[in-house]
Amino acid sequence: MKQLIELKVNGESYEAAIDPHRTLLEVLRENVGMTGSKEGCDLGACGACTVIIDGKAVLACLTLALDARGKEITTIEGLAKDGKLHPLQQNFVDYGAIQCGFCTPGAIMSAKALLDENPKPTVAEIKRGVSGNLCRCTGYTKIIEAIEVTAK
Amino acid sequence: MDKYSIIGKRQVRTDSAVKATGAAKFAGDFLLPGMLVGKILRSPLPHAKILNIDTSKAMKLKGVRAVATGKDITDVPHGIMRVDPLPPILRDKYSLAKERVRFIGDEVAAVAAIDEDTAMEAMELIKVDYEELPAVFDIWESLKPGAIQIHENFPGNISTLTAFHHGDVDKAFAESDYILEDKYETQRTHHSYIEPHAVTAEFYASGEVTIWPSTQTPFYDKVCIAETIGVPVNKVRVIKPHVGGGFGGKGDVHSLFPISALLSRMSGKPVQISYTREEDIVSTTRRHPTIIEQKIGVKKDGRIMGFDSKILADGGAYQGISMVSIFVMAVFQHGPYKLPNYRCDARRVYTNKPYCGAQRGHGGIQPRFVIESMMDIIAENLNLDPLEIRRINGLHTGDITLNKFRIRSCGHIESIDRAAEDIGWKDKRKKLPEGKGVGLACNFFASGPGFSYFFTNPPSHSGVNITAEEDGTFLLYTGSSDIGQGSETALAMIAAEAIGLSSIDQLKVIAADTATTPMDLGTYGSRLTTIAGNAAKMAGTKIKDELVETAADMLEANKEDLESRDGRIYVKGNPEKGVTIREAVQTRFQIKRIPLTTVGYYNPPADTGDTSGFAEGKVSLSPTWSFGAHAAEVDVDKETGVVKVNKVSAAHDCGFAINPLAVEGQIEGCVSMTFGQATCEEFRTEKGWTMTNSFLDYKLPTSEDMPDVIPIIVESIDTEGPFGAKEASEGANIPTIPAITNAICDAIGFRVRDLPINPEKILRALEKKGGEK
């Protein structure tokens, strides 16, 4: 039986009729129409679906949409303002941290959650902060560099 | 003034901003009106006859719009090894099984339904009657006389066999001062691009179908889809969306592409299929595991005399691209060392397991692990410096190998020197405390294949068209596929430099749409910079020539005296006397009223290798070759057996770095993939079941695992590549493994002979007192 829910995503409200077992990732992609968050592994091992809920980085593929009701959800679509990239996005672009781009939304969201909580992380803390975001293209070097530069 | 305005400078990629915002559309991101979810039912048995498939119950389920089986496709098997005169039997797989399944995960039926839950429920309602057949999981079982035949056309379960003999190897061994025989094993690994395979397809009432697949080879997909669903090739349009990594794993034509088109035709609705990670790992391709027995004979000074190689690869259930895999494993041994006498016997064996194909560093990884390990052992036993034995045997610019590879540029020695210097070789090799060590290994790789294994009569290997717009900017059309490596940006840079633009902002790339862009064979064999790059350079140069002619009229100057650069065409030595490119375009349009479009193309030269083992010698190998060397530093924890790789100094000879930012990224990514193969990745099966079917079981390197990677760009300025450029995306994948294992040997005296390295193997070796050399 479908249930009507309301989600607050990037500051705006969205209503959706969903089966209760649908994950936040599925509802964001299929009902809300935001496909920036990616499904890479279905079980919380790759980080491509990372979003921020009430200030914490969360795996949207392991979160039921129902459990996200009443919370502030930020996705990759919510970072750029008025056509201007968020500093993290800009540095990912400028420092070559993006190759295929499939892990990028999740990696940027993890980095944002890290910097929101710890604005001056050490390199080790940065590596720990994105260790849940698998990237097969970059070897992580330039991702770490982009986050480091943003924190400076 | 710099030699160039655009190339050779760090260029931010054209597609980065759209990827940074989440706006980039990948194959599974299309949301079309009325779109259905497609799902594929797979074989639960490793080997069986299909007696009957009953889809009636599934069809009756509410929300199901189509159910397809092998009866709904043509009798033309799909497969990409098809250039004349390769025999048709090399195409040994159907998108949906007909009569027989050969591995756990083989496609048996497909469903299109209104949502995923309904599709899953429908799959459970499909009843398949199987007659189970004996299965073989081990190559030795498979090779035994009387073993079950997995494919009737391939007696003895040998799917591919390649044999070469150049020179006189037996005589060479007789004349050698020292002969080393050794044996190595490499494991299966999976590409593990973060985007699983996905496709969206829409079949129209006109009988045409458009497909957006996660692919490296849209022009192959087009033909295979058309043949499988039985429509003329020109009715299929393949548009490559953004692709979330491929690494060779999206270069075969995978079943979901034709199946999505079929389901869309049957249902009259757009259909999307997105593989789960488990489906992706189980049913797509992976790197060949090998057993390699190698014999190398040398003179006292380390000069190689004879080289004999026996390669046995476990291919799994189907052929795929394996004929190329086996062939390149054999021939890529001809560099970076000069081999005066060479013999190789390479065989690939069918087993009832997920099948193998190309993965980044295709054909280079396995033999290179063996050769670079043995070079170190030989050096040790002859009291030679491991760097010296690599230098004295190295190829040089101008050399032609025994099998006729032309070495047009060679950064072999510079790569060794710079990698060694960066790691601190002189102060560290054999000088670090017990448990710490450094090692070095070299590489050699093709800058694009010189042959097409798919099309017999392609218009060219790569076509690029450039059109001038009314506002003085340009559109560049290419069929080539950027799957994350940055090739669209590189092509834009090459063309912009050739035209004489001030920035790539004045040129937009439109790519990889089989209906609108000129054909390119695809992304594989590290071919785009050299091959599509030459086509872009030609098209850009033709634009420049046309505009220089116009400018010459405008300036009343001789065109020979004009230069086009930084957005202006001007008199050499008198830059004030000139016009902008925009003015030249607009004046030309005003006077002639004829559109300005140029056609660039590239075909590799025909003199690039003896390919007698492949397609009757009708093919050539590669326009040019990359070189390189990696040096690694490791710490081995003797209590736990854990190997920590601290640093990899990765020197790669890419000829000329069109975009150094991207070349660094390629080198870093290459190292991470083979660091993974060296230390943690292993695709395991048990009685045909894939045990490593998730990212929890198939361990990839994380940001915390990675060593410091120092990319070192070596530029040998090639004579064939555009502006001297060669490949940078695969060769740098190759030396990492032996650099690490050579470092482990320096640290604890243990020679790794099978992969991956794990604590258990290290501890067992340490138990054998002193280890072995």
Side-chain angles (χ1 to χ4, degrees):
Chain A
M1 194 62 173
K2 284 195 164 55
Q3 204 171 326
L4 192 67
I5 67 162
E6 189 179 340
L7 294 176
K8 199 169 174 203
V9 186
N10 304 326
E12 310 224 355
S13 284
Y14 295 86
E15 278 187 352
I18 60 157
D19 288 316
H21 65 271
R22 300 307 274 178
T23 65
L24 177 61
L25 178 63
E26 289 166 336
V27 172
L28 283 173
R29 290 177 56 83
E30 295 162 23
N31 301 74
V32 178
M34 290 184 184
T35 56
S37 308
K38 303 299 181 197
E39 181 168 322
C41 75
D42 334 310
L43 45 65
C46 79
C49 65
T50 306
V51 298
I52 295 177
I53 299 181
D54 290 345
K56 296 273 181 214
V58 167
L59 296 169
C61 79
L62 295 185
T63 306
L64 288 176
L66 288 180
D67 287 341
R69 284 175 299 181
K71 295 177 178 171
E72 293 283 343
I73 304 162
T74 308
T75 70
I76 189 68
E77 287 91 347
L79 262 52
K81 299 283 183 230
D82 302 325
K84 197 173 175 310
L85 298 183
H86 183 279
L88 264 172
Q89 291 173 314
Q90 191 63 54
N91 287 324
F92 266 63
V93 170
D94 292 345
Y95 286 83
I98 302 172
Q99 289 192 27
C100 85
F102 200 79
C103 77
T104 304
I108 289 178
M109 296 313 285
S110 288
K112 182 174 189 303
L114 170 74
L115 296 188
D116 287 349
E117 197 175 304
N118 177 6
K120 300 280 168 208
T122 62
V123 171
E125 285 168 339
I126 292 172
K127 286 184 181 177
R128 171 61 56 88
V130 292
S131 63
N133 297 87
L134 295 176
C135 172
R136 196 60 157 166
C137 293
T138 65
Y140 307 102
T141 310
K142 294 195 184 327
I143 291 178
I144 294 160
E145 192 183 357
I147 300 169
E148 229 184 320
V149 170
T150 310
K152 266 182 190 154
Chain B
M1 193 160 149
D2 290 351
K3 191 172 177 193
Y4 300 115
S5 299
I6 293 170
I7 58 172
K9 301 182 192 313
R10 300 171 81 81
Q11 174 68 54
V12 167
R13 292 181 187 205
T14 53
D15 58 355
S16 287
V18 74
K19 288 174 174 174
T21 57
K25 290 275 176 281
F26 294 81
D29 292 338
F30 292 85
L31 301 169
L32 304 181
M35 190 171 78
L36 304 174
V37 173
K39 281 275 167 197
I40 297 171
L41 181 72
R42 299 177 180 282
S43 169
L45 298 172
H47 201 185
K49 275 186 192 160
I50 297 173
L51 302 177
N52 186 46
I53 305 178
D54 181 358
T55 61
S56 56
K57 277 190 186 158
M59 276 305 295
K60 283 180 199 143
L61 184 70
K62 188 181 160 192
V64 171
R65 298 288 185 262
V67 181
T69 69
K71 287 182 181 152
D72 299 305
I73 59 172
T74 65
D75 286 330
V76 185
H78 79 223
I80 55 177
M81 301 308 306
R82 51 196 291 154
V83 66
D84 182 38
L86 289 181
I89 54 167
L90 291 175
R91 294 151 66 192
D92 60 359
K93 189 176 186 316
Y94 292 101
S95 301
L96 288 166
K98 288 176 184 272
E99 296 168 10
R100 197 154 157 190
V101 288
R102 294 181 174 86
F103 77 98
I104 295 173
D106 222 344
E107 296 84 4
V108 173
V111 172
I114 53 164
D115 57 28
E116 191 179 5
D117 291 346
T118 309
M120 298 295 279
E121 196 181 337
M123 289 212 294
E124 285 175 27
L125 296 174
I126 298 172
K127 190 168 175 294
V128 187
D129 295 329
Y130 293 105
E131 178 191 321
E132 196 163 356
L133 297 170
V136 281
F137 306 115
D138 176 90
I139 47 173
W140 304 114
E141 290 294 320
S142 185
L143 286 169
K144 269 186 191 160
I148 181 99
Q149 294 294 285
I150 296 174
H151 292 271
E152 274 140 21
N153 289 320
F154 293 87
N157 288 327
I158 304 274
S159 81
T160 311
L161 197 141
T162 291
F164 289 97
H165 195 168
H166 300 285
D168 187 338
V169 172
D170 295 323
K171 185 160 166 263
F173 285 132
E175 290 169 0
S176 295
D177 296 323
Y178 172 74
I179 294 170
L180 176 66
E181 288 185 69
D182 216 345
K183 187 177 170 183
Y184 294 80
E185 290 191 28
T186 66
Q187 82 277 44
R188 273 177 295 183
T189 56
H190 192 265
H191 318 80
S192 297
Y193 29 73
I194 306 302
E195 179 206 24
H197 279 252
V199 62
T200 304
E202 186 165 22
F203 201 97
Y204 307 103
S206 61
E208 294 169 303
V209 59
T210 298
I211 290 151
W212 296 266
S214 179
T215 184
Q216 301 178 205
T217 47
F219 290 86
Y220 297 176
D221 300 338
K222 175 172 121 167
V223 174
C224 291
I225 291 164
E227 287 182 350
T228 301
I229 68 170
V231 299
V233 174
N234 73 340
K235 301 293 179 194
V236 179
R237 178 180 186 181
V238 178
I239 305 172
K240 181 199 70 71
H242 289 287
V243 174
F247 313 113
K250 293 173 179 170
D252 217 317
V253 177
H254 291 278
S255 301
L256 74 166
F257 303 162
I259 290 174
S260 64
L262 175 69
L263 290 172
S264 181
R265 180 169 69 185
M266 292 170 87
S267 64
K269 301 279 184 193
V271 171
Q272 187 170 90
I273 302 176
S274 294
Y275 277 0
T276 63
R277 179 57 60 183
E278 178 177 354
E279 259 185 309
D280 192 280
I281 293 179
V282 169
S283 74
T284 60
T285 57
R286 62 222 80 255
R287 196 190 299 288
H288 283 88
T290 57
I291 300 170
I292 301 181
E293 289 180 82
Q294 193 100 346
K295 188 171 169 184
I296 301 177
V298 297
K299 285 288 190 190
K300 260 185 267 175
D301 62 3
R303 269 180 304 128
I304 296 170
M305 298 294 290
F307 200 93
D308 193 355
S309 183
K310 287 189 184 61
I311 302 173
L312 197 55
D314 183 350
Y318 292 103
Q319 187 83 20
I321 194 183
S322 77
M323 187 159 181
V324 175
S325 309
I326 297 307
F327 177 70
V328 293
M329 269 188 234
V331 300
F332 285 177
Q333 301 197 6
H334 281 283
Y337 310 119
K338 194 159 195 163
L339 307 179
N341 301 283
Y342 173 81
R343 183 162 58 206
C344 179
D345 176 291
R347 281 176 296 163
R348 179 186 190 262
V349 182
Y350 282 127
T351 53
N352 292 110
K353 290 187 295 202
Y355 65 110
C356 296
Q359 189 181 339
R360 193 178 205 174
H362 190 201
I365 298 287
Q366 301 94 330
R368 188 60 37 203
F369 168 52
V370 177
I371 295 163
E372 296 298 320
S373 299
M374 291 177 70
M375 291 299 272
D376 260 31
I377 301 172
I378 293 167
E380 178 77 26
N381 290 342
L382 293 181
N383 254 325
L384 296 169
D385 176 7
L387 306 190
E388 199 46 34
I389 193 172
R390 288 177 166 85
R391 287 193 194 102
I392 62 164
N393 282 296
L395 291 167
H396 296 279
T397 303
D399 279 349
I400 296 175
T401 67
L402 204 52
N403 65 335
K404 311 264 189 324
F405 292 166
R406 283 177 188 273
I407 308 304
R408 300 176 205 270
S409 61
C410 178
H412 173 66
I413 289 180
E414 187 184 341
S415 297
I416 294 174
D417 292 346
R418 290 179 63 188
E421 192 190 342
D422 193 71
I423 207 79
W425 184 268
K426 267 192 206 145
D427 301 326
K428 291 180 178 166
R429 176 74 178 187
K430 291 199 165 192
K431 291 174 186 159
L432 292 173
E434 175 80 6
K436 292 177 188 294
V438 293
L440 180 139
C442 295
N443 81 28
F444 178 73
F445 202 76
S447 278
F451 57 96
S452 161
Y453 49 74
F454 191 95
F455 292 108
T456 301
N457 295 304
S460 76
H461 277 236
S462 187
V464 167
N465 300 345
I466 300 180
T467 293
E469 294 272 275
E470 194 273 342
D471 65 353
T473 67
F474 299 86
L475 296 172
L476 183 155
Y477 296 87
T478 170
S480 64
S481 297
D482 194 332
I483 57 168
Q485 76 274 42
S487 57
E488 282 186 21
T489 308
L491 296 184
M493 293 172 78
I494 289 168
E497 187 73 45
I499 297 169
L501 302 178
S502 59
S503 126
I504 62 167
D505 291 343
Q506 277 116 48
L507 183 144
K508 180 171 174 53
V509 175
I510 294 157
D513 174 346
T514 62
T516 62
T517 62
M519 202 242 255
D520 174 275
L521 295 176
T523 291
Y524 55 85
S526 222
R527 61 185 289 283
L528 291 194
T529 299
T530 311
I531 291 176
N534 266 321
K537 188 182 176 200
M538 183 197 275
T541 304
K542 286 181 175 176
I543 290 275
K544 181 193 75 182
D545 291 347
E546 293 268 353
L547 294 178
V548 162
E549 211 159 284
T550 304
D553 291 342
M554 291 165 76
L555 295 165
E556 295 179 343
N558 287 324
K559 60 184 182 183
E560 292 77 22
D561 297 333
L562 299 182
E563 178 154 19
S564 180
R565 196 171 164 168
D566 294 324
R568 294 183 78 248
I569 301 171
Y570 53 87
V571 176
K572 282 176 206 165
N574 184 10
E576 279 80 53
K577 192 179 175 192
V579 297
T580 64
I581 284 184
R582 182 189 158 108
E583 286 164 348
V585 169
Q586 290 177 339
T587 304
R588 191 181 185 281
F589 285 170
Q590 209 170 40
I591 297 166
K592 293 193 176 173
R593 289 277 178 267
I594 300 174
L596 173 56
T597 295
T598 59
V599 175
Y601 60 89
Y602 182 70
N603 295 303
D607 61 348
T608 55
D610 169 8
T611 53
S612 48
F614 190 97
E616 309 302 329
K618 279 198 174 181
V619 295
S620 60
L621 259 166
S622 179
T624 190
W625 301 87
S626 71
F627 294 83
H630 292 188
E633 184 180 329
V634 303
D635 271 353
V636 182
D637 185 323
K638 296 175 80 175
E639 296 298 314
T640 62
V642 169
V643 174
K644 185 171 183 327
V645 182
N646 297 321
K647 180 177 172 181
V648 177
S649 305
H652 182 73
D653 166 23
C654 65
F656 171 74
I658 300 290
N659 182 1
L661 183 66
V663 172
E664 285 174 11
Q666 289 306 296
I667 295 173
E668 290 157 358
C670 276
V671 171
S672 79
M673 185 170 278
T674 26
F675 165 77
Q677 176 163 6
T679 60
C680 59
E681 292 179 36
E682 184 169 24
F683 179 98
R684 286 182 292 108
T685 53
E686 197 66 52
K687 295 204 184 310
W689 289 97
T690 300
M691 308 309 285
T692 46
N693 61 4
S694 76
F695 280 163
L696 298 177
D697 298 304
Y698 189 84
K699 164 86 174 102
L700 298 177
T702 72
S703 51
E704 291 193 291
D705 301 325
M706 278 300 293
D708 288 337
V709 179
I710 312 299
I712 300 165
I713 297 174
V714 174
E715 296 185 319
S716 58
I717 312 299
D718 193 67
T719 53
E720 185 68 23
F723 299 107
K726 301 190 283 192
E727 72 88 25
S729 296
E730 292 198 68
N733 213 30
I734 292 172
T736 316
I737 297 170
I740 291 171
T741 58
N742 286 344
I744 291 171
C745 199
D746 187 43
I748 58 167
F750 168 56
R751 171 59 51 193
V752 175
R753 287 189 172 83
D754 66 313
L755 298 171
I757 306 149
N758 60 33
E760 192 187 336
K761 287 175 194 171
I762 297 289
L763 287 178
R764 212 177 284 160
L766 288 168
E767 273 169 24
K768 289 189 201 166
K769 211 167 173 117
E772 49 168 330
K773 290 267 165 163

